[in-house]
Amino acid sequence: MSSPSLGTSKENPTVLPSKRPINMKKIAKRALQYGTLLFVTLIMVGPFLWLLATSLKSGSENIFAYPPQFIPEKITFGNYVEVMEFFPFWRYLFNSVVVSVVTVLLNIVFCSLAAYPLARMNFRGKNIVFVLILSTMMVPFQLLMIPIYLLALDLGLQNTYAGLILPHATTAFGIFLMRQAFLTIPYELDESARMDGANAFQIWWRVLMPLVKPSLVTLAIFTFMMAWGDFLWPLIILNDTSMYTLPLGVNTLAGSFSANWRYIAAGSIISILPIIIIFAILQRHFIAGAMKGAVKG
């Protein structure tokens, strides 16, 4: 009876696994990549952290001291309390929520409806229409403000939610994003739905829309950020302070508190928090939707 080979037996305790050589070049490359990412992160997040630190400093601290002191000597939330007491924060927050949520809903509906025939139907001039829609992205909104403002005045939309919402109810970017998402879905699903008696609207609503949820979330995040942070258009269309949104309200802090930067920083942090919270909740869907829109052109 032959004995088992000692060199190849897994049960032999004397055989040691071979060590892989350390690739210093790969380690240095990886360290350089992470170092670059960390540096870019600090540049991007640094202003926000400085704003947060300023909002937590007490009135006895000199925020303009040199060398600058990043960490507060005594952390206080009194700046946030005073901003909410002497500043109609909840009214401005309500206005921003109404404008942002309705703008997001209208963009999801109108952009997806406009993108559906461009992606799933064949008709003469389809590509020309799509190119014309994309070309509007090269026209800055500042060039359109005067005619839109005059039209809003003629329609009686000044100091109304409709006047804030309708100019942003649909965007060329949203139509492009939804068209790209619809193109990734096999056409066989449309044919199967038609065989079951579904019409075009039912195919759009019951078949396609559930399959492009990541792209819908991506569009919702971009639209929410745009509507929430919009400053120029509300400044033009509103002259009633009770209709102000948070960006306009934070701007009034500079005059109301004689440029008290602690209060301004606290108000800015409050206005930024909803965007951070929304993005943190929908981050997974946002990344999936951004990648899906780049699959097929």
Side-chain angles (χ1 to χ4, degrees):
M1 183 175 181
S2 59
S3 60
S5 176
L6 296 177
T8 60
S9 175
K10 297 182 180 179
E11 299 178 357
N12 186 6
T14 61
V15 178
L16 299 177
S18 59
K19 294 183 178 180
R20 295 181 179 179
I22 300 177
N23 192 339
M24 297 303 299
K25 184 177 180 180
K26 184 176 181 180
I27 293 177
K29 182 179 179 181
R30 186 62 59 85
L32 180 62
Q33 291 175 346
Y34 281 106
T36 304
L37 291 175
L38 181 61
F39 177 73
V40 174
T41 301
L42 291 176
I43 292 177
M44 300 295 291
V45 182
F48 173 78
L49 296 178
W50 181 262
L51 192 70
L52 178 62
T54 302
S55 68
L56 297 175
K57 291 182 179 180
S58 61
S60 60
E61 296 185 50
N62 183 13
I63 61 176
F64 300 106
Y66 185 83
Q69 185 176 359
F70 181 78
I71 300 177
E73 295 178 358
K74 184 180 179 181
I75 296 178
T76 176
F77 293 94
N79 297 326
Y80 293 91
V81 175
E82 294 195 25
V83 164
M84 292 185 180
E85 287 181 354
F86 300 102
F87 162 72
F89 167 77
W90 298 110
R91 178 63 187 180
Y92 295 161
L93 177 63
F94 175 78
N95 294 336
S96 291
V97 169
V98 171
V99 172
S100 301
V101 171
V102 177
T103 302
V104 168
L105 295 177
L106 291 179
N107 268 267
I108 289 176
V109 174
F110 292 154
C111 291
S112 59
L113 280 174
Y116 174 71
L118 294 174
R120 314 300 290 187
M121 296 181 181
N122 293 320
F123 56 91
R124 183 178 299 178
K126 180 177 71 171
N127 294 331
I128 297 177
V129 172
F130 181 62
V131 171
L132 291 176
I133 291 175
L134 290 183
S135 64
T136 61
M137 298 176 64
M138 298 184 292
V139 180
F141 181 72
Q142 289 77 3
L143 294 179
L144 305 175
M145 284 191 305
I146 294 178
I148 293 177
Y149 175 71
L150 295 177
L151 180 61
L153 291 181
D154 293 338
L155 295 176
L157 299 180
Q158 190 176 24
N159 296 319
T160 62
Y161 289 123
L164 292 170
I165 295 169
L166 291 181
H168 305 296
T170 185
T171 59
F173 169 77
I175 296 174
F176 168 76
L177 180 65
M178 296 310 302
R179 174 184 178 272
Q180 299 302 105
F182 288 151
L183 286 175
T184 61
I185 301 175
Y187 285 90
E188 288 77 10
L189 295 178
D190 298 35
E191 297 174 358
S192 299
R194 288 192 182 93
M195 292 178 63
D196 292 335
N199 54 36
F201 181 81
Q202 291 172 331
I203 294 174
W204 166 76
W205 179 250
R206 296 185 178 180
V207 178
L208 299 181
M209 292 294 280
L211 297 177
V212 294
K213 286 182 180 179
S215 297
L216 292 175
V217 172
T218 303
L219 177 60
I221 291 177
F222 276 115
T223 305
F224 183 85
M225 293 175 60
M226 178 272 298
W228 188 271
D230 189 18
F231 175 81
L232 186 58
W233 177 245
L235 180 65
I236 294 173
I237 198 66
L238 298 177
N239 54 28
D240 182 4
T241 57
S242 64
M243 291 295 299
Y244 277 10
T245 56
L246 268 180
L248 286 180
V250 172
N251 183 63
T252 60
L253 287 175
S256 301
F257 295 103
S258 301
N260 189 323
W261 295 106
R262 298 174 182 83
Y263 294 162
I264 296 174
S268 301
I269 291 295
I270 293 172
S271 65
I272 293 173
L273 281 178
I275 296 178
I276 298 176
I277 294 172
I278 292 295
F279 183 81
I281 295 174
L282 304 177
Q283 174 180 317
R284 177 170 58 89
H285 301 286
F286 169 78
I287 295 174
M291 295 300 295
K292 187 174 183 180
V295 173
K296 187 175 181 180

